[in-house]
Amino acid sequence: MSFRIIIFISSAFLSNYAIHHIPASTVGLFSNLSLVIMILSGVIVLNEPIYSYQIIGILIILIPIIGMNVIQKSLSKLLQLHQVNRKENSLTEMLDYLLFLNYSY
């Protein structure tokens, strides 16, 4: 139990450190990984059993993180393609383009 508390406290300090060096949106996505690290460290280091509800919880945490990274990469590729086609983009044109992508699906 104390091992998990140490990991939780150290992850909180590392999250505060990361906010100063990485964008807050990225830190927010990965701050939920502390729970996954606590569960996996208990299984690996302390030989605790892992239960099905813990696996479901890990998946609930990891799926949005993976999904947001995929969405972020695809949006950056779309923006790069859009910028190649139109050299002089204003901010309103870029926002209109992104809104059009959201409503076209």
Side-chain angles (χ1 to χ4, degrees):
M1 183 70 130
S2 63
F3 185 68
R4 291 182 183 175
I5 293 171
I6 291 170
I7 290 175
F8 181 75
I9 291 172
S10 63
S11 70
F13 283 119
L14 289 174
S15 293
N16 287 335
Y17 176 78
I19 286 176
H20 294 291
H21 300 286
I22 302 173
S25 59
T26 306
V27 174
L29 281 174
F30 288 101
S31 66
N32 293 325
L33 286 178
S34 63
L35 296 172
V36 174
I37 292 169
M38 282 190 283
I39 292 171
L40 294 178
S41 64
V43 170
I44 294 169
V45 176
L46 301 176
N47 294 323
E48 292 182 355
I50 188 164
Y51 300 105
S52 60
Y53 63 87
Q54 291 172 326
I55 294 173
I56 292 170
I58 288 172
L59 290 175
I60 289 172
I61 292 171
L62 290 180
I63 289 172
I65 292 173
I66 294 168
M68 288 304 293
N69 285 330
V70 169
I71 289 170
Q72 191 175 27
K73 285 181 184 179
S74 64
L75 276 179
S76 67
K77 286 181 184 178
L78 285 173
L79 289 175
Q80 287 174 355
L81 287 173
H82 185 67
Q83 289 176 354
V84 167
N85 293 335
R86 301 177 71 185
K87 291 289 183 183
E88 296 181 5
N89 291 326
S90 68
L91 182 60
T92 56
E93 288 176 343
M94 188 68 70
L95 290 174
D96 289 340
Y97 179 72
L98 290 174
L99 288 173
F100 172 73
L101 288 177
N102 286 336
Y103 290 115
S104 64
Y105 294 109

XYZ file of all heavy atoms in Angstrom:
839
model
N 0.816 -1.192 0.000
C 0.000 0.000 0.000
C 0.866 1.266 0.000
O 0.578 2.206 -0.707
C -0.935 -0.033 1.204
C -1.869 1.124 1.245
S -3.100 1.030 -0.035
C -4.539 1.288 0.892
N 1.918 1.276 0.806
C 2.772 2.469 0.859
C 3.529 2.669 -0.451
O 3.857 3.796 -0.806
C 3.749 2.361 2.026
O 4.616 1.263 1.833
N 3.790 1.565 -1.166
C 4.463 1.659 -2.458
C 3.612 2.453 -3.439
O 4.117 3.287 -4.188
C 4.730 0.235 -2.973
C 5.522 0.186 -4.237
C 6.852 0.574 -4.242
C 4.945 -0.253 -5.405
C 7.591 0.531 -5.409
C 5.677 -0.306 -6.572
C 7.003 0.085 -6.570
N 2.311 2.227 -3.432
C 1.398 2.961 -4.308
C 1.337 4.437 -3.948
O 1.230 5.297 -4.816
C 0.009 2.350 -4.265
C -0.047 0.992 -4.902
C -1.423 0.441 -4.876
N -1.437 -0.901 -5.426
C -2.486 -1.685 -5.451
N -3.625 -1.268 -4.954
N -2.415 -2.884 -5.964
N 1.383 4.732 -2.676
C 1.352 6.131 -2.237
C 2.605 6.860 -2.715
O 2.534 7.996 -3.190
C 1.205 6.217 -0.702
C -0.175 5.702 -0.290
C 1.421 7.638 -0.204
C -0.360 5.548 1.198
N 3.755 6.208 -2.634
C 5.005 6.813 -3.100
C 4.935 7.074 -4.600
O 5.324 8.150 -5.078
C 6.204 5.908 -2.748
C 6.417 5.885 -1.237
C 7.475 6.379 -3.456
C 7.409 4.852 -0.763
N 4.407 6.118 -5.353
C 4.285 6.298 -6.800
C 3.313 7.430 -7.111
O 3.554 8.249 -7.995
C 3.852 4.982 -7.476
C 4.988 3.976 -7.407
C 3.440 5.219 -8.918
C 4.638 2.620 -7.934
N 2.204 7.501 -6.378
C 1.218 8.561 -6.618
C 1.807 9.936 -6.342
O 1.642 10.864 -7.129
C -0.030 8.320 -5.765
C -1.077 9.359 -5.978
C -1.843 9.351 -7.130
C -1.294 10.352 -5.042
C -2.814 10.314 -7.343
C -2.251 11.321 -5.247
C -3.016 11.291 -6.395
N 2.515 10.074 -5.235
C 3.110 11.362 -4.889
C 4.187 11.753 -5.894
O 4.255 12.906 -6.340
C 3.668 11.333 -3.447
C 2.508 11.258 -2.452
C 4.531 12.557 -3.164
C 2.926 11.031 -1.029
N 5.013 10.788 -6.295
C 6.059 11.115 -7.274
C 5.451 11.470 -8.632
O 5.961 12.350 -9.323
C 7.047 9.955 -7.412
O 6.392 8.806 -7.911
N 4.348 10.828 -9.004
C 3.715 11.185 -10.284
C 3.101 12.578 -10.218
O 3.089 13.298 -11.214
C 2.658 10.150 -10.669
O 1.550 10.228 -9.811
N 2.608 12.972 -9.054
C 2.077 14.328 -8.903
C 3.193 15.364 -9.057
O 3.015 16.389 -9.732
C 1.401 14.477 -7.545
N 4.346 15.118 -8.456
C 5.477 16.035 -8.607
C 5.961 16.082 -10.055
O 6.275 17.149 -10.577
C 6.631 15.644 -7.679
C 6.401 16.038 -6.252
C 6.352 15.077 -5.265
C 6.241 17.378 -5.892
C 6.137 15.436 -3.941
C 6.034 17.745 -4.580
C 5.974 16.764 -3.599
N 6.013 14.923 -10.704
C 6.459 14.894 -12.100
C 5.459 15.585 -13.016
O 5.847 16.221 -13.998
C 6.689 13.452 -12.544
C 7.910 12.770 -11.940
C 7.952 11.298 -12.342
C 9.185 13.474 -12.345
N 4.172 15.495 -12.700
C 3.164 16.196 -13.505
C 3.334 17.703 -13.383
O 3.232 18.423 -14.378
C 1.756 15.800 -13.064
O 1.515 14.454 -13.362
N 3.585 18.181 -12.178
C 3.818 19.617 -11.992
C 5.072 20.070 -12.737
O 5.101 21.157 -13.310
C 3.943 19.945 -10.505
C 2.610 19.885 -9.808
O 1.576 20.060 -10.433
N 2.633 19.608 -8.521
N 6.098 19.244 -12.731
C 7.324 19.577 -13.464
C 7.054 19.596 -14.965
O 7.532 20.472 -15.689
C 8.414 18.557 -13.125
C 9.685 18.760 -13.893
C 10.581 19.759 -13.527
C 9.997 17.961 -14.985
C 11.752 19.959 -14.237
C 11.162 18.151 -15.702
C 12.042 19.142 -15.326
O 13.193 19.336 -16.023
N 6.263 18.639 -15.439
C 5.999 18.525 -16.875
C 5.165 19.688 -17.399
O 5.326 20.089 -18.551
C 5.299 17.205 -17.172
N 4.283 20.228 -16.574
C 3.437 21.341 -17.011
C 4.287 22.548 -17.410
O 3.926 23.304 -18.299
C 2.400 21.699 -15.927
C 1.310 20.640 -15.904
C 1.791 23.069 -16.147
C 0.283 20.818 -14.830
N 5.432 22.698 -16.786
C 6.311 23.825 -17.116
C 7.063 23.618 -18.432
O 7.558 24.574 -19.012
C 7.320 24.061 -15.998
C 6.681 24.525 -14.727
N 6.106 25.758 -14.595
C 6.500 23.897 -13.548
C 5.609 25.877 -13.378
N 5.835 24.766 -12.719
N 7.151 22.367 -18.902
C 7.967 22.075 -20.081
C 7.178 21.527 -21.268
O 7.691 21.518 -22.384
C 9.062 21.076 -19.716
C 9.972 21.580 -18.636
N 10.918 22.555 -18.851
C 10.054 21.261 -17.319
C 11.560 22.807 -17.724
N 11.052 22.042 -16.776
N 5.963 21.067 -21.037
C 5.136 20.456 -22.077
C 3.784 21.161 -22.048
O 3.345 21.614 -20.988
C 4.961 18.941 -21.814
C 6.314 18.235 -21.747
C 4.106 18.285 -22.880
C 6.224 16.793 -21.320
N 3.084 21.251 -23.177
C 1.741 21.865 -23.156
C 0.802 21.149 -22.180
O 0.870 19.931 -21.998
C 1.250 21.699 -24.595
C 2.479 21.549 -25.412
C 3.495 20.894 -24.536
N -0.048 21.925 -21.550
C -0.931 21.391 -20.511
C -1.884 20.332 -21.056
O -2.250 19.399 -20.335
C -1.718 22.525 -19.867
N -2.290 20.447 -22.318
C -3.194 19.444 -22.878
C -2.531 18.077 -22.942
O -3.164 17.052 -22.676
C -3.653 19.870 -24.270
O -2.540 20.026 -25.125
N -1.253 18.047 -23.257
C -0.526 16.776 -23.301
C -0.331 16.215 -21.902
O -0.493 15.012 -21.677
C 0.835 16.968 -23.985
O 0.625 17.574 -25.258
C 1.549 15.659 -24.165
N 0.004 17.068 -20.961
C 0.189 16.624 -19.580
C -1.127 16.092 -19.015
O -1.150 15.087 -18.304
C 0.738 17.757 -18.693
C 0.799 17.351 -17.233
C 2.107 18.175 -19.179
N -2.230 16.749 -19.361
C -3.534 16.291 -18.881
C -3.877 14.910 -19.372
O -4.463 14.103 -18.629
N -3.526 14.622 -20.615
C -3.788 13.277 -21.136
C -2.982 12.220 -20.393
O -3.501 11.166 -20.026
C -3.441 13.209 -22.625
C -4.450 13.771 -23.590
C -3.886 13.748 -24.997
C -5.730 12.979 -23.534
N -1.718 12.511 -20.165
C -0.848 11.507 -19.578
C -0.860 11.487 -18.052
O -0.293 10.578 -17.456
C 0.576 11.696 -20.096
C 0.721 11.299 -21.528
C 0.748 12.250 -22.525
C 0.794 9.965 -21.880
C 0.866 11.885 -23.850
C 0.911 9.583 -23.197
C 0.948 10.549 -24.191
N -1.513 12.435 -17.412
C -1.565 12.419 -15.950
C -2.407 11.255 -15.432
O -2.204 10.798 -14.311
C -2.111 13.740 -15.422
O -3.456 13.897 -15.809
N -3.323 10.770 -16.251
C -4.125 9.625 -15.835
C -3.336 8.327 -15.836
O -3.793 7.325 -15.293
C -5.339 9.476 -16.753
C -6.298 10.621 -16.597
O -6.468 11.150 -15.509
N -6.930 11.008 -17.687
N -2.175 8.337 -16.423
C -1.364 7.122 -16.458
C -0.820 6.732 -15.091
O -0.358 5.606 -14.921
C -0.206 7.292 -17.442
C -0.577 7.237 -18.912
C 0.644 7.469 -19.769
C -1.222 5.926 -19.262
N -0.866 7.621 -14.112
C -0.355 7.274 -12.783
C -1.127 6.111 -12.187
O -0.545 5.243 -11.527
C -0.398 8.479 -11.853
O -1.732 8.897 -11.655
N -2.436 6.050 -12.444
C -3.216 4.913 -11.952
C -2.795 3.614 -12.623
O -2.694 2.570 -11.973
C -4.705 5.171 -12.178
C -5.308 6.347 -11.424
C -6.725 6.600 -11.881
C -5.250 6.080 -9.948
N -2.541 3.681 -13.913
C -2.101 2.487 -14.640
C -0.739 2.033 -14.128
O -0.505 0.839 -13.906
C -2.053 2.771 -16.163
C -1.469 1.598 -16.924
C -3.431 3.110 -16.682
N 0.149 2.987 -13.898
C 1.487 2.658 -13.392
C 1.389 2.044 -11.994
O 2.107 1.079 -11.686
C 2.383 3.908 -13.402
C 2.658 4.320 -14.842
C 3.689 3.664 -12.660
C 3.312 5.666 -14.989
N 0.491 2.566 -11.167
C 0.335 1.992 -9.823
C -0.140 0.553 -9.884
O 0.362 -0.312 -9.167
C -0.645 2.833 -8.998
C -0.054 4.098 -8.457
S -1.118 4.907 -7.260
C -2.316 5.657 -8.328
N -1.122 0.285 -10.734
C -1.640 -1.084 -10.843
C -0.569 -2.023 -11.378
O -0.325 -3.104 -10.826
C -2.893 -1.112 -11.739
C -4.046 -0.389 -11.045
C -3.300 -2.548 -12.052
C -5.253 -0.169 -11.933
N 0.097 -1.609 -12.453
C 1.106 -2.480 -13.058
C 2.327 -2.675 -12.159
O 2.913 -3.757 -12.135
C 1.519 -1.926 -14.420
C 0.420 -1.935 -15.483
C 0.928 -1.316 -16.786
C -0.113 -3.324 -15.713
N 2.705 -1.639 -11.418
C 3.841 -1.805 -10.506
C 3.482 -2.741 -9.360
O 4.329 -3.516 -8.900
C 4.309 -0.462 -9.964
O 3.286 0.135 -9.186
N 2.240 -2.704 -8.892
C 1.816 -3.649 -7.865
C 1.842 -5.078 -8.367
O 2.211 -6.006 -7.641
N 1.469 -5.261 -9.620
C 1.481 -6.609 -10.208
C 2.912 -7.086 -10.429
O 3.257 -8.226 -10.101
C 0.690 -6.614 -11.548
C 0.888 -7.910 -12.299
C -0.788 -6.378 -11.283
N 3.765 -6.213 -10.958
C 5.130 -6.627 -11.303
C 6.021 -6.710 -10.071
O 6.711 -7.714 -9.850
C 5.730 -5.655 -12.340
C 4.961 -5.780 -13.656
C 7.208 -5.934 -12.563
C 5.285 -4.701 -14.666
N 6.030 -5.675 -9.248
C 6.960 -5.613 -8.126
C 6.472 -6.423 -6.928
O 7.232 -7.172 -6.318
C 7.212 -4.141 -7.719
C 8.093 -4.054 -6.484
C 7.827 -3.376 -8.867
N 5.197 -6.282 -6.598
C 4.675 -6.917 -5.390
C 3.962 -8.241 -5.646
O 3.427 -8.841 -4.721
C 3.722 -5.947 -4.682
C 4.331 -4.615 -4.255
C 3.272 -3.712 -3.662
C 5.466 -4.835 -3.273
N 3.931 -8.671 -6.902
C 3.269 -9.921 -7.294
C 1.804 -9.984 -6.863
O 1.309 -11.036 -6.468
C 4.027 -11.135 -6.756
C 5.394 -11.274 -7.380
O 5.567 -10.993 -8.558
N 6.367 -11.686 -6.580
N 1.141 -8.858 -6.927
C -0.283 -8.827 -6.615
C -1.072 -9.367 -7.804
O -0.664 -9.219 -8.951
C -0.733 -7.402 -6.314
C -0.170 -6.833 -5.043
C -0.688 -5.433 -4.771
O -1.403 -4.879 -5.626
O -0.361 -4.891 -3.712
N -2.218 -9.972 -7.533
C -3.045 -10.442 -8.660
C -3.717 -9.256 -9.347
O -3.998 -8.232 -8.722
C -4.078 -11.347 -7.999
C -4.160 -10.859 -6.588
C -2.796 -10.344 -6.243
N -3.943 -9.389 -10.638
C -4.662 -8.357 -11.380
C -6.051 -8.902 -11.682
O -6.208 -10.045 -12.103
C -3.897 -7.929 -12.650
C -4.571 -6.728 -13.288
C -3.746 -9.060 -13.627
C -3.714 -5.997 -14.291
N -7.048 -8.078 -11.442
C -8.433 -8.495 -11.599
C -9.023 -7.915 -12.874
O -8.486 -6.976 -13.460
C -9.251 -8.057 -10.384
C -8.742 -8.654 -9.096
C -8.026 -7.890 -8.188
C -8.971 -9.987 -8.806
C -7.560 -8.432 -7.009
C -8.503 -10.555 -7.620
C -7.794 -9.772 -6.731
O -7.326 -10.323 -5.574
N -10.142 -8.479 -13.286
C -10.757 -8.056 -14.548
C -11.192 -6.596 -14.501
O -11.064 -5.868 -15.489
C -11.941 -8.953 -14.893
O -12.917 -8.889 -13.871
N -11.678 -6.123 -13.361
C -12.093 -4.722 -13.271
C -10.903 -3.783 -13.368
O -11.035 -2.650 -13.835
C -12.917 -4.456 -12.009
C -12.188 -4.680 -10.701
C -11.430 -3.669 -10.132
C -12.281 -5.889 -10.030
C -10.764 -3.850 -8.941
C -11.628 -6.095 -8.838
C -10.870 -5.077 -8.296
O -10.223 -5.279 -7.116
N -9.721 -4.236 -12.961
C -8.528 -3.408 -13.118
C -8.115 -3.323 -14.589
O -7.706 -2.263 -15.069
C -7.377 -3.972 -12.282
C -7.600 -3.828 -10.793
C -6.552 -4.551 -9.973
O -6.066 -5.605 -10.372
N -6.213 -3.978 -8.822
N -8.235 -4.439 -15.296
C -7.926 -4.440 -16.731
C -8.903 -3.540 -17.474
O -8.508 -2.768 -18.355
C -7.951 -5.878 -17.281
C -6.815 -6.686 -16.663
C -7.837 -5.873 -18.805
C -6.843 -8.158 -16.990
N -10.183 -3.604 -17.113
C -11.180 -2.737 -17.746
C -10.857 -1.274 -17.460
O -10.933 -0.417 -18.347
C -12.601 -3.108 -17.267
C -12.973 -4.489 -17.806
C -13.615 -2.064 -17.702
C -14.241 -5.068 -17.200
N -10.468 -0.969 -16.225
C -10.091 0.400 -15.870
C -8.875 0.882 -16.640
O -8.826 2.037 -17.089
N -7.882 0.005 -16.816
C -6.694 0.359 -17.595
C -7.084 0.672 -19.036
O -6.620 1.649 -19.629
C -5.643 -0.767 -17.525
C -5.016 -0.809 -16.133
C -4.566 -0.587 -18.584
C -4.106 -1.994 -15.897
N -7.960 -0.150 -19.606
C -8.406 0.096 -20.982
C -9.192 1.396 -21.089
O -9.040 2.137 -22.071
C -9.247 -1.077 -21.475
C -8.483 -2.377 -21.713
C -9.448 -3.496 -22.090
C -7.427 -2.189 -22.769
N -10.018 1.699 -20.083
C -10.788 2.948 -20.092
C -9.848 4.151 -20.052
O -10.133 5.198 -20.628
C -11.795 2.976 -18.923
C -12.925 1.980 -19.194
C -12.362 4.368 -18.692
C -13.872 1.778 -18.028
N -8.718 4.008 -19.400
C -7.743 5.103 -19.343
C -6.926 5.185 -20.630
O -6.683 6.270 -21.159
C -6.825 4.941 -18.116
C -7.623 5.163 -16.833
C -5.635 5.888 -18.176
C -6.879 4.816 -15.571
N -6.491 4.038 -21.162
C -5.574 4.036 -22.305
C -6.250 4.345 -23.637
O -5.646 4.982 -24.499
C -4.851 2.691 -22.400
C -3.837 2.403 -21.304
C -3.213 1.036 -21.523
C -2.765 3.473 -21.262
N -7.482 3.906 -23.838
C -8.151 4.105 -25.128
C -8.301 5.591 -25.472
O -7.986 5.999 -26.594
C -9.487 3.344 -25.182
C -9.206 1.839 -25.273
C -10.355 3.798 -26.337
C -10.416 0.957 -25.149
N -8.754 6.466 -24.565
C -8.816 7.899 -24.926
C -7.444 8.519 -25.193
O -7.314 9.383 -26.063
C -9.472 8.559 -23.715
C -10.197 7.477 -23.027
C -9.412 6.234 -23.287
N -6.422 8.081 -24.474
C -5.083 8.629 -24.704
C -4.607 8.269 -26.105
O -4.118 9.119 -26.855
C -4.097 8.118 -23.629
C -4.465 8.713 -22.278
C -2.657 8.470 -23.996
C -3.674 8.143 -21.129
N -4.774 7.007 -26.474
C -4.378 6.575 -27.815
C -5.229 7.280 -28.861
O -4.721 7.745 -29.885
C -4.476 5.044 -27.927
C -3.438 4.390 -27.011
C -4.277 4.583 -29.368
C -3.623 2.902 -26.832
N -6.534 7.376 -28.612
C -7.427 8.033 -29.557
C -7.091 9.491 -29.773
O -7.090 9.977 -30.905
N -6.791 10.207 -28.702
C -6.446 11.622 -28.844
C -5.137 11.805 -29.599
O -4.989 12.747 -30.377
C -6.363 12.297 -27.472
C -7.702 12.494 -26.814
S -8.865 13.416 -27.813
C -8.099 15.007 -27.854
N -4.171 10.908 -29.386
C -2.917 11.011 -30.136
C -3.143 10.766 -31.618
O -2.560 11.451 -32.455
C -1.884 10.031 -29.584
C -1.308 10.501 -28.274
O -1.210 11.688 -28.027
N -0.936 9.564 -27.432
N -3.996 9.797 -31.958
C -4.291 9.517 -33.366
C -5.015 10.698 -33.995
O -4.695 11.128 -35.108
C -5.119 8.217 -33.486
C -5.670 8.044 -34.889
C -4.279 7.017 -33.090
N -5.997 11.260 -33.281
C -6.742 12.410 -33.800
C -5.821 13.610 -33.980
O -5.878 14.312 -34.990
C -7.922 12.750 -32.861
C -8.990 11.672 -32.963
C -8.500 14.120 -33.181
C -10.073 11.788 -31.919
N -4.940 13.837 -33.014
C -4.030 14.976 -33.094
C -3.078 14.841 -34.283
O -2.828 15.810 -35.001
C -3.239 15.086 -31.791
C -2.468 16.359 -31.632
C -1.823 16.446 -30.267
O -1.516 15.436 -29.643
N -1.610 17.658 -29.805
N -2.581 13.635 -34.531
C -1.688 13.427 -35.668
C -2.425 13.602 -36.984
O -1.904 14.212 -37.921
C -1.060 12.037 -35.601
C 0.018 11.908 -34.560
C 0.610 10.524 -34.547
C 1.629 10.396 -33.427
N 2.206 9.043 -33.369
N -3.657 13.081 -37.071
C -4.389 13.213 -38.329
C -4.780 14.668 -38.581
O -4.750 15.125 -39.732
C -5.628 12.317 -38.323
O -6.530 12.722 -37.327
N -5.132 15.421 -37.543
C -5.441 16.840 -37.728
C -4.217 17.634 -38.161
O -4.319 18.517 -39.003
C -6.022 17.431 -36.443
C -7.508 17.237 -36.210
C -7.916 17.849 -34.885
C -8.314 17.831 -37.334
N -3.063 17.297 -37.597
C -1.862 18.022 -38.004
C -1.511 17.719 -39.461
O -1.076 18.603 -40.192
C -0.695 17.695 -37.086
O -0.301 16.353 -37.233
N -1.731 16.477 -39.900
C -1.490 16.143 -41.306
C -2.469 16.885 -42.209
O -2.090 17.401 -43.258
C -1.625 14.638 -41.533
C -0.464 13.850 -41.006
C -0.647 12.381 -41.279
C 0.474 11.580 -40.664
N 0.297 10.133 -40.887
N -3.748 16.967 -41.795
C -4.729 17.700 -42.589
C -4.389 19.181 -42.675
O -4.524 19.796 -43.728
C -6.128 17.518 -42.009
C -6.804 16.182 -42.256
C -8.099 16.094 -41.471
C -7.064 15.992 -43.735
N -3.944 19.746 -41.564
C -3.566 21.154 -41.577
C -2.349 21.397 -42.460
O -2.275 22.406 -43.156
C -3.308 21.641 -40.152
C -4.539 21.784 -39.268
C -4.126 22.148 -37.851
C -5.478 22.809 -39.835
N -1.397 20.470 -42.449
C -0.228 20.618 -43.314
C -0.634 20.548 -44.780
O -0.155 21.328 -45.599
C 0.801 19.540 -43.000
C 1.529 19.760 -41.699
C 2.445 18.601 -41.343
O 2.472 17.585 -42.030
N 3.185 18.753 -40.263
N -1.530 19.618 -45.121
C -2.006 19.522 -46.501
C -2.752 20.789 -46.909
O -2.608 21.277 -48.021
C -2.915 18.313 -46.667
C -2.236 16.947 -46.654
C -3.281 15.847 -46.663
C -1.299 16.807 -47.826
N -3.546 21.300 -45.997
C -4.301 22.515 -46.287
C -3.366 23.704 -46.480
O -3.591 24.548 -47.342
C -5.305 22.780 -45.179
C -6.200 23.940 -45.438
N -7.137 23.934 -46.440
C -6.297 25.149 -44.835
C -7.780 25.087 -46.444
N -7.287 25.844 -45.471
N -2.303 23.780 -45.689
C -1.363 24.883 -45.810
C -0.540 24.780 -47.080
O -0.126 25.795 -47.643
C -0.458 24.946 -44.586
C -1.185 25.420 -43.351
C -0.315 25.378 -42.119
O 0.800 24.904 -42.160
N -0.842 25.861 -41.014
N -0.274 23.571 -47.536
C 0.457 23.414 -48.785
C -0.396 23.906 -49.947
O 0.090 24.566 -50.863
C 0.866 21.937 -48.993
C 1.334 21.676 -50.412
C 1.942 21.556 -47.994
N -1.694 23.603 -49.925
C -2.578 24.011 -51.007
C -2.843 25.507 -51.006
O -3.025 26.115 -52.046
C -3.904 23.252 -50.939
C -3.710 21.780 -51.234
O -2.767 21.389 -51.906
N -4.588 20.962 -50.705
N -2.868 26.095 -49.836
C -3.155 27.535 -49.727
C -2.093 28.160 -48.852
O -2.088 28.004 -47.653
C -4.539 27.728 -49.120
C -5.633 27.075 -49.960
C -6.946 27.220 -49.303
N -7.351 28.610 -49.392
C -8.442 29.081 -48.820
N -9.207 28.291 -48.136
N -8.757 30.341 -48.951
N -1.204 28.888 -49.469
C -0.066 29.447 -48.752
C -0.459 30.541 -47.765
O 0.113 30.654 -46.697
C 0.967 30.003 -49.743
C 1.668 28.942 -50.527
C 2.602 28.186 -49.653
C 3.371 27.161 -50.465
N 4.228 26.369 -49.657
N -1.433 31.356 -48.109
C -1.783 32.478 -47.251
C -3.097 32.186 -46.542
O -4.165 32.540 -46.991
C -1.895 33.755 -48.080
C -0.587 34.152 -48.712
C -0.709 35.423 -49.513
O -1.790 36.042 -49.487
O 0.269 35.797 -50.158
N -2.999 31.518 -45.400
C -4.185 31.174 -44.612
C -4.333 32.148 -43.455
O -3.387 32.448 -42.756
C -4.066 29.764 -44.034
C -4.142 28.706 -45.100
O -4.856 28.881 -46.076
N -3.427 27.622 -44.914
N -5.529 32.609 -43.269
C -5.798 33.404 -42.072
C -6.377 32.476 -41.012
O -6.747 31.344 -41.277
C -6.774 34.532 -42.384
O -8.042 33.994 -42.685
N -6.449 32.969 -39.807
C -6.964 32.162 -38.711
C -8.432 31.805 -38.925
O -8.843 30.673 -38.659
C -6.789 32.919 -37.386
C -7.241 32.207 -36.124
C -6.470 30.905 -35.938
C -7.069 33.092 -34.918
N -9.212 32.725 -39.445
C -10.635 32.426 -39.654
C -10.828 31.383 -40.740
O -11.693 30.514 -40.619
C -11.401 33.710 -40.035
O -10.796 34.295 -41.186
C -11.407 34.689 -38.886
N -10.014 31.422 -41.779
C -10.109 30.402 -42.818
C -9.759 29.027 -42.260
O -10.387 28.030 -42.597
C -9.193 30.741 -43.985
C -9.669 31.898 -44.815
C -8.655 32.248 -45.903
O -7.495 31.810 -45.800
O -9.043 32.953 -46.836
N -8.755 28.957 -41.384
C -8.358 27.697 -40.787
C -9.473 27.151 -39.899
O -9.781 25.966 -39.936
C -7.079 27.884 -39.973
C -6.481 26.607 -39.472
S -5.816 25.585 -40.784
C -4.417 26.555 -41.264
N -10.089 28.016 -39.107
C -11.190 27.575 -38.258
C -12.389 27.127 -39.076
O -13.044 26.129 -38.759
C -11.583 28.686 -37.283
C -10.574 28.990 -36.186
C -11.029 30.201 -35.386
C -10.385 27.808 -35.281
N -12.683 27.841 -40.142
C -13.770 27.429 -41.027
C -13.502 26.066 -41.633
O -14.389 25.228 -41.746
C -13.991 28.459 -42.140
C -14.599 29.745 -41.634
O -15.195 29.722 -40.541
O -14.468 30.768 -42.337
N -12.265 25.821 -42.003
C -11.892 24.535 -42.582
C -12.082 23.418 -41.563
O -12.623 22.355 -41.863
C -10.451 24.596 -43.072
C -9.955 23.308 -43.672
C -10.412 22.875 -44.906
C -9.020 22.518 -43.006
C -9.962 21.701 -45.458
C -8.571 21.344 -43.547
C -9.038 20.934 -44.781
O -8.587 19.769 -45.318
N -11.644 23.648 -40.313
C -11.797 22.622 -39.282
C -13.261 22.376 -38.940
O -13.671 21.242 -38.721
C -11.018 23.014 -38.023
C -9.498 22.958 -38.154
C -8.864 23.504 -36.891
C -9.037 21.546 -38.421
N -14.073 23.436 -38.911
C -15.500 23.257 -38.669
C -16.147 22.499 -39.805
O -17.025 21.662 -39.593
C -16.171 24.610 -38.464
C -15.864 25.309 -37.156
C -16.459 26.708 -37.154
C -16.377 24.505 -35.989
N -15.728 22.749 -41.014
C -16.261 22.020 -42.167
C -15.933 20.518 -42.041
O -16.769 19.672 -42.327
C -15.677 22.567 -43.459
C -16.036 21.750 -44.673
C -17.314 21.781 -45.188
C -15.097 20.924 -45.262
C -17.655 21.012 -46.286
C -15.426 20.161 -46.372
C -16.710 20.204 -46.885
N -14.724 20.204 -41.558
C -14.362 18.797 -41.391
C -15.243 18.136 -40.335
O -15.623 16.977 -40.480
C -12.894 18.667 -40.972
C -11.853 18.960 -42.046
C -10.464 18.864 -41.455
C -12.002 17.977 -43.185
N -15.565 18.856 -39.266
C -16.408 18.271 -38.222
C -17.829 17.997 -38.726
O -18.431 17.008 -38.368
C -16.474 19.191 -37.001
C -15.195 19.170 -36.212
O -14.443 18.202 -36.279
N -14.934 20.227 -35.480
N -18.364 18.895 -39.530
C -19.751 18.737 -39.983
C -19.876 17.882 -41.236
O -20.961 17.513 -41.617
C -20.387 20.104 -40.226
C -20.619 20.858 -38.951
C -19.947 22.045 -38.699
C -21.462 20.356 -37.975
C -20.133 22.740 -37.512
C -21.652 21.039 -36.795
C -20.999 22.229 -36.572
O -21.187 22.900 -35.409
N -18.752 17.561 -41.886
C -18.861 16.784 -43.112
C -19.027 15.296 -42.849
O -19.366 14.547 -43.724
C -17.617 17.011 -43.980
O -16.473 16.524 -43.315
N -18.789 14.869 -41.621
C -18.956 13.446 -41.299
C -20.357 13.231 -40.912
O -21.073 12.670 -40.539
C -18.012 13.014 -40.180
C -16.566 13.076 -40.586
C -15.721 14.035 -40.070
C -16.055 12.187 -41.514
C -14.393 14.091 -40.432
C -14.743 12.233 -41.885
C -13.922 13.181 -41.347
O -12.621 13.240 -41.712
